């Protein structure tokens, strides 16, 4: 998924996103503040927070436009390397990271099992021995019961949006049709985006992780330490590199 025209207003639209909670989850999930890869980093909000916490941060995203906005936020005393790469094909960092984090349900944009497995294999390669993988995804419940046939909307003087979600053709998938209206000083510019996401049951994520050489430590829900329930909406995974990768 590459965000197109609305990267310029992404931060304002996401101003209420719980970035501090994601950062806290990452910090509390790791034994020390080592070298971390913020994968699918977007405009760098979590990367910057991790750097402020003392991590050595690299941010990677598929969208050149999002990375451009991320780079503009970095101060001279806050060195963060931002690079454009596909999470399924990471290169140049074999065995270099203590941890990899994939936040903000970014993994749900990887829509086939094969591509999720390629992502896990790619992450395996860039992690040090016993390195940690952290990621969050939408739950099966949210994809099947919450998103389909839902409409979300918001309006203020500068930016308004209408966001409609529909069930996708694949199991546990959704299509988000979004229209954004941005005031340019004289009129509203319109940006349209269509996003597709898919999730998998916990046991299938565990199976995919295991096939790529990871051991699943635990799964929690909704920014808590609690195990998922039948109505949990966001699931948080912690896995560790443990075995030789399966080709």
């Amino acid at each position: 998924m590459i965000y197109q025209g609305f990267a310029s207003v992404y931060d304002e639209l996401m101003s209420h996103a719980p970035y501090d909670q994601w950062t806290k989850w990452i910090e509390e999930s790791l034994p020390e503040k080592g070298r971390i890869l913020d994968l699918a980093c977007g405009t760098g909000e979590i990367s910057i927070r991790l750097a402020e916490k003392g991590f050595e941060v690299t941010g990677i995203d598929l969208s050149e436009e999002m990375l451009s906005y991320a780079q503009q936020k970095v101060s001279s005393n806050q060195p963060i390397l931002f690079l454009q790469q596909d999470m399924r094909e990471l290169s140049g960092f074999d065995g270099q990271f203590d941890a990899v984090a994939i936040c903000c349900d970014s993994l749900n944009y990887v829509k086939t099992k094969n591509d999720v497995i390629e992502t896990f294999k790619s992450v395996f390669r860039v992690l040090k021995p016993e390195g940690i993988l952290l990621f969050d995804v939408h739950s099966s419940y949210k994809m099947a019961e919450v998103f389909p046939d839902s409409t979300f909307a918001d309006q203020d003087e500068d930016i308004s949006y209408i966001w409609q979600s529909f069930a996708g053709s694949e199991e546990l998938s959704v299509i988000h049709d979004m229209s954004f209206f941005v005031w340019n000083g004289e009129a509203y510019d319109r940006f349209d985006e269509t996003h597709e996401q898919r999730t998998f049951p916990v046991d299938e994520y565990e199976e995919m992780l295991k096939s790529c050489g990871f051991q699943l430590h635990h799964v929690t829900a909704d920014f808590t330490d609690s195990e998922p329930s039948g109505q949990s909406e966001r699931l948080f995974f912690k896995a560790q590199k443990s075995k030789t990768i399966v080709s």
Side-chain angles (χ1 to χ4, degrees):
M1 170 64 217
I2 303 179
Y3 290 93
Q4 301 290 342
F6 91 112
S8 60
V9 296
Y10 179 84
D11 283 338
E12 188 165 352
L13 291 166
M14 295 290 288
S15 61
H16 300 299
Y19 293 125
D20 290 337
Q21 289 181 267
W22 267 298
T23 304
K24 180 181 178 183
W25 166 61
I26 293 169
E27 187 177 22
E28 292 181 349
S29 298
L30 300 177
E32 58 186 6
K33 295 175 180 178
R35 189 176 185 192
I36 187 167
L37 172 60
D38 182 11
L39 192 51
C41 65
T43 62
E45 287 294 316
I46 293 175
S47 296
I48 292 168
R49 286 167 170 78
L50 290 172
E52 290 171 347
K53 294 288 187 180
F55 289 92
E56 182 183 350
V57 183
T58 297
I60 287 179
D61 200 273
L62 190 58
S63 169
E64 183 178 3
E65 189 176 2
M66 300 287 268
L67 291 171
S68 175
Y69 285 100
Q71 191 62 57
Q72 292 174 31
K73 300 176 186 178
V74 178
S75 62
S76 58
N77 62 350
Q78 192 183 56
I80 300 174
L81 177 64
F82 288 112
L83 295 171
Q84 183 184 22
Q85 291 191 21
D86 189 318
M87 69 172 69
R88 298 164 297 181
E89 301 174 352
L90 300 175
S91 63
F93 296 102
D94 287 6
Q96 295 187 26
F97 291 102
D98 298 290
V100 173
I102 313 174
C103 299
C104 308
D105 53 83
S106 295
L107 191 63
N108 289 136
Y109 287 101
V110 181
K111 295 176 292 182
T112 70
K113 274 192 174 184
N114 183 65
D115 282 344
V116 173
I117 289 170
E118 289 304 309
T119 299
F120 288 159
K121 287 182 177 181
S122 188
V123 169
F124 185 99
R125 287 194 298 271
V126 303
L127 281 171
K128 295 178 180 179
E130 300 185 341
I132 300 296
L133 167 60
L134 303 169
F135 65 92
D136 68 89
V137 293
H138 292 311
S139 68
S140 298
Y141 165 75
K142 189 171 187 179
M143 298 292 263
E145 303 294 337
V146 177
F147 277 136
D149 301 318
S150 294
T151 299
F152 311 91
D154 194 18
Q155 179 177 358
D156 63 27
E157 293 182 0
D158 297 318
I159 300 176
S160 302
Y161 70 85
I162 301 172
W163 170 1
Q164 297 177 297
S165 296
F166 309 93
S169 58
E170 302 289 341
E171 184 179 7
L172 298 177
S173 68
V174 293
I175 297 171
H176 306 292
D177 283 338
M178 294 176 279
S179 296
F180 302 89
F181 304 89
V182 183
W183 181 249
N184 64 18
E186 297 180 354
Y188 284 95
D189 295 324
R190 176 171 174 165
F191 302 92
D192 293 308
E193 295 267 335
T194 296
H195 296 187
E196 297 182 41
Q197 290 188 301
R198 186 182 182 188
T199 202
F200 298 93
V202 171
D203 60 344
E204 293 187 26
Y205 279 115
E206 182 173 13
E207 179 182 328
M208 287 186 279
L209 285 164
K210 185 177 180 181
S211 74
C212 296
F214 286 98
Q215 177 185 359
L216 180 61
H217 278 205
H218 58 251
V219 183
T220 57
D222 298 328
F223 291 106
T224 72
D225 293 329
S226 301
E227 294 183 359
S229 70
Q231 293 187 325
S232 298
E233 295 193 8
R234 186 177 296 274
L235 307 182
F236 294 78
F237 289 71
K238 178 179 178 179
Q240 186 170 28
K241 179 176 179 174
S242 59
K243 298 178 182 179
T244 301
I245 192 167
V246 177
S247 60

